[in-house]
């Protein structure tokens, strides 16, 4: 199978694109949902669902590598998640701290490059330092580009880009007439990351929940009836197969 043509382009692909049938999506983005329900179904505390979710993250990274996906973005913590009970926020940030301290070396060994998007300033300074170190120490890797969205919200990201653009226009370094989609996209935290070809959400919910709203403009969407902690390679492969069967036209109609 070949990597999707045009998928590595950061902006909307050329309108003449005729589809990705039989192709592997270059970039898969996942809304990992259902940890709480998984735990509740087992009469376990929610943190047990998040821990099992972290195992699913490991499986998914390996599945992406095995199946030729080169960009993977995972929505691990939304800007709205800060509003959860303090104990759950502490569990989630604790899990993140543990993950960064214990798993980055193995990810680096597997050839994974880590990036983080979102308002990282809201995390404790030690977590911020670990995030910076993980990104720096894996920056030369090319096998899988893994982006983890943390304290991320697409609307806030777009507003921040607009604010920077307005400031540049006011200071005279940017001509508003020259602002196009590529220039706007370059102001987002995902600058340098291709747009997702496929956005998956687990747990049966059918929402984007403020995830990559700009970047997912042309993505195929797939909502899976599996809770995130149960997500396994078979689900990943089935999602890739569904993607391969879809015809992507990017708004155009083949002549
Ligand atoms: C959504 O399930 C999941 C989250 C809010 C957290 C995602 C975190 C992980 C998968 C584990 C940690 C990841 C890393 C990278 C260390 P939910 O709690 O909203 O589930 P529910 O909708 O069933 O209540």
């Amino acid at each position: 199978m070949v990597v999707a043509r045009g998928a590595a382009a950061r902006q909307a692909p050329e309108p003449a694109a005729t589809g990705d049938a039989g192709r592997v999506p270059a970039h898969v983005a996942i809304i990992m949902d259902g940890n709480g329900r998984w735990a509740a179904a087992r009469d376990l505390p929610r943190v047990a669902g998040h821990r099992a979710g972290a195992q699913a993250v490991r499986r998914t990274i390996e599945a992406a590598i095995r199946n030729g996906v080169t960009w993977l973005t995972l929505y691990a913590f939304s800007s709205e998640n800060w509003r959860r009970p303090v104990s759950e926020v502490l569990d989630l940030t604790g899990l993140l701290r543990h993950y960064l301290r214990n798993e980055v070396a193995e990810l680096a060994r597997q050839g994974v490059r880590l990036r983080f998007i979102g308002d990282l300033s809201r995390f404790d300074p030690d977590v911020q330092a670990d995030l910076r170190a993980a990104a720096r120490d894996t920056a030369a890797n090319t096998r899988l580009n893994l982006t983890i969205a943390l304290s991320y919200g697409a609307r806030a990201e777009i507003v921040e880009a607009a604010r920077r653009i307005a400031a540049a226009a006011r200071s005279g370094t940017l001509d508003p007439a020259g602002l196009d989609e590529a220039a706007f996209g370059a102001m987002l935290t995902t600058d340098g990351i291709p747009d997702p070809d496929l956005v998956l959400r687990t747990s049966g919910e059918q929402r984007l929940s403020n995830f990559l709203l700009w970047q997912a403009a042309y993505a195929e969407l797939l909502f899976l009836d599996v809770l995130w902690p149960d997500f396994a390679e078979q689900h990943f492969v089935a999602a890739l197969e569904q993607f391969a069967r879809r015809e992507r036209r990017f708004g155009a109609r083949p002549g």
Side-chain angles (χ1 to χ4, degrees), residues 32-37 46 50 53-54 57 76 81 84 88 92 95-96 99 148 228:
M32 308 182 288
D33 194 14
N35 294 352
R37 276 162 283 171
R46 291 179 65 83
H50 296 317
V57 167
N81 285 157
R84 291 193 176 195
E88 186 171 353
L92 281 166
L95 206 52
L96 175 65
Y99 192 86
I148 303 187
W228 177 251

Side-chain angles (χ1 to χ4, degrees), residues 10-11 180-191 214:
R10 178 158 42 78
Q11 287 310 309
D180 58 10
E181 291 186 13
F184 193 95
M187 298 301 240
L188 298 171
T189 57
T190 48
D191 183 32
W214 170 279

Side-chain angles (χ1 to χ4, degrees), residues 155-174:
R155 284 186 171 186
E157 178 189 36
I158 292 168
V159 168
E160 176 56 25
R163 196 178 287 134
R164 288 171 54 204
I165 288 164
R170 191 170 54 188
S171 69
T173 55
L174 181 130

